[in-house]
Amino acid sequence: MNIFKNLLKETFAKTKDNIKSSIKSIFGDTKINFEDLEEILLKSDFGLEFTEQIINELKKTSNFNDEKDFNNSLKYLLLNKINKNNSNADLDINKLTIIQIFGVNGSGKTTTIGKLTNYYISKGFKILIASCDTFRAAANEQLKKWATLNETKIIEDFSKDPASVAFEAVKTAKNEKYNLLFIDTAGRLHTNKNLMLELQKIDNVITKSIDENILKLNWLIVDGNSGQNANKQYEEFSKFVKIDGLIITKLDGTSKGGSVFQIAVNNNKPILFLGIGEKKDNLVKFNPEDYINSLLE
């Protein structure tokens, strides 16, 4: 088993133990009782609507032979609900890709950029980072530390507005033949319209600065412990910018491993990576099979 599968197993150990105990209890009696499983799925943050859907579908097949048979049926149902297309994470090193990173305050954007930089450097990419959070000096300092740690060039200028910094970064990335440019934006509450309009402005400036040979992507960072609020964040951000993929953070040691599923299924968007720790290599490319196995194996 590779290191990423081991990390996933450790990350969702609490969720897995809770689900496993509930499945055992279902087969403790001669008649299957789904109430315990429903309660555990809700506590694990699968969400009410999705949990009821899964329970109802399982009830249609009530002739399970044993726990293994039931477990396999649950795995099959979950796997067929999730968007498996995370191909946006497989970037082409032969062209410039520009990725705008955004999310609410405290979602882990800057740390995620540091991890993403480390991940793609290991794939051979030449990476540039743009600090477009011109409001918080602390955020910029954090990003600079990550850039130093990864030996990566950073574009920063507190005298300019964020869109101007983004424009300068795109120009530099093109002129100096970078493969990948990460645009770090200020954390913003999805309810703050002015900041959302600023994000839209950055997005428009980037779009106008590129041609068909450059790939532009927008990735939303979501705290895995934010529950139903994560869906609201997605809904509000998508009103202002197109979202191409999700990265779920702060999942280390969580008992709410179902939050990943809830976010992915409700929005039918691919999850690209999971953040499962503070270290630069604590980032796992999302694999639906590995994720589900880590919950149910």
Side-chain angles (χ1 to χ4, degrees), residues 13-288:
K14 292 180 182 178
T15 305
K16 182 191 71 174
D17 289 344
N18 288 340
I19 294 175
K20 184 189 289 186
S21 65
S22 72
I23 290 175
K24 283 185 178 297
S25 73
I26 285 174
F27 287 93
D29 302 314
T30 54
K31 184 179 179 182
I32 294 177
N33 186 338
F34 289 95
E35 289 181 5
D36 191 42
L37 177 63
E38 184 174 8
E39 182 181 351
I40 291 299
L41 290 178
L42 288 173
K43 285 182 178 178
S44 300
D45 221 3
F46 278 83
L48 179 60
E49 184 179 344
F50 182 69
T51 295
E52 289 180 346
Q53 188 179 358
I54 288 296
I55 295 295
N56 289 334
E57 291 191 32
L58 285 171
K59 284 180 178 178
K60 292 176 184 177
T61 310
S62 56
N63 57 337
F64 303 106
N65 297 316
D66 51 29
E67 290 175 37
K68 184 177 180 181
D69 188 23
F70 181 87
N71 214 43
N72 287 337
S73 295
L74 182 55
K75 280 185 186 180
Y76 178 80
L77 276 177
L78 294 178
L79 193 57
N80 280 280
K81 296 289 183 185
I82 203 163
N83 189 323
K84 303 177 190 66
N85 180 25
N86 65 349
S87 59
N88 276 344
D90 300 322
L91 305 178
D92 185 353
I93 199 169
N94 297 309
K95 67 189 299 183
L96 171 60
T97 300
I98 299 171
I99 302 176
Q100 185 177 209
I101 303 290
F102 49 87
V104 301
N105 299 305
S107 58
K109 291 183 304 77
T110 305
T111 299
T112 299
I113 287 177
K115 295 177 183 177
L116 286 168
T117 301
N118 176 70
Y119 176 86
Y120 284 107
I121 284 176
S122 71
K123 306 290 184 185
F125 283 77
K126 181 184 178 184
I127 299 174
L128 178 66
I129 299 174
S131 178
C132 291
D133 184 350
T134 59
F135 298 102
R136 289 196 314 121
N140 188 61
E141 288 302 313
Q142 184 187 10
L143 192 64
K144 285 174 71 173
K145 287 180 180 177
W146 277 109
T148 301
L149 181 65
N150 288 311
E151 299 181 347
T152 306
K153 182 174 179 178
I154 184 171
I155 302 291
E156 52 181 331
D157 191 340
F158 268 74
S159 68
K160 295 181 178 179
D161 68 71
S164 297
V165 177
F167 176 81
E168 185 64 32
V170 172
K171 187 167 70 172
T172 301
K174 290 192 290 187
N175 291 341
E176 299 184 14
K177 308 298 182 186
Y178 281 89
N179 312 111
L180 181 55
L181 166 61
F182 286 115
I183 306 283
D184 184 28
T185 60
R188 62 202 71 221
L189 290 174
H190 51 286
T191 53
N192 189 319
K193 187 173 181 181
N194 287 336
L195 283 177
M196 297 300 279
L197 287 171
E198 179 197 80
L199 181 67
Q200 191 177 58
K201 179 182 176 182
I202 297 171
D203 189 61
N204 290 336
V205 165
I206 297 170
T207 301
K208 290 176 182 177
S209 304
I210 63 176
D211 56 38
E212 66 277 3
N213 296 314
I214 298 173
L215 175 64
K216 175 184 167 294
L217 299 170
N218 291 330
W219 290 355
L220 175 64
I221 312 298
V222 176
D223 183 336
N225 297 292
S226 55
Q228 286 290 337
N229 195 39
N231 296 309
K232 186 64 177 176
Q233 290 169 30
Y234 176 91
E235 180 184 325
E236 292 301 317
F237 273 100
S238 63
K239 291 178 182 177
F240 294 89
V241 292
K242 177 176 177 281
I243 297 173
D244 299 298
L246 302 164
I247 299 178
I248 315 300
T249 62
K250 303 185 180 183
L251 289 169
D252 36 315
T254 184
S255 62
K256 295 188 174 185
S259 63
V260 176
F261 225 100
Q262 183 181 170
I263 295 165
V265 171
N266 285 355
N267 301 301
N268 194 31
K269 280 289 177 179
I271 293 176
L272 307 174
F273 294 94
L274 304 180
I276 55 176
E278 291 298 316
K279 297 178 181 178
K280 68 177 184 178
D281 56 354
N282 288 160
L283 186 77
V284 178
K285 184 183 175 187
F286 185 65
N287 179 295

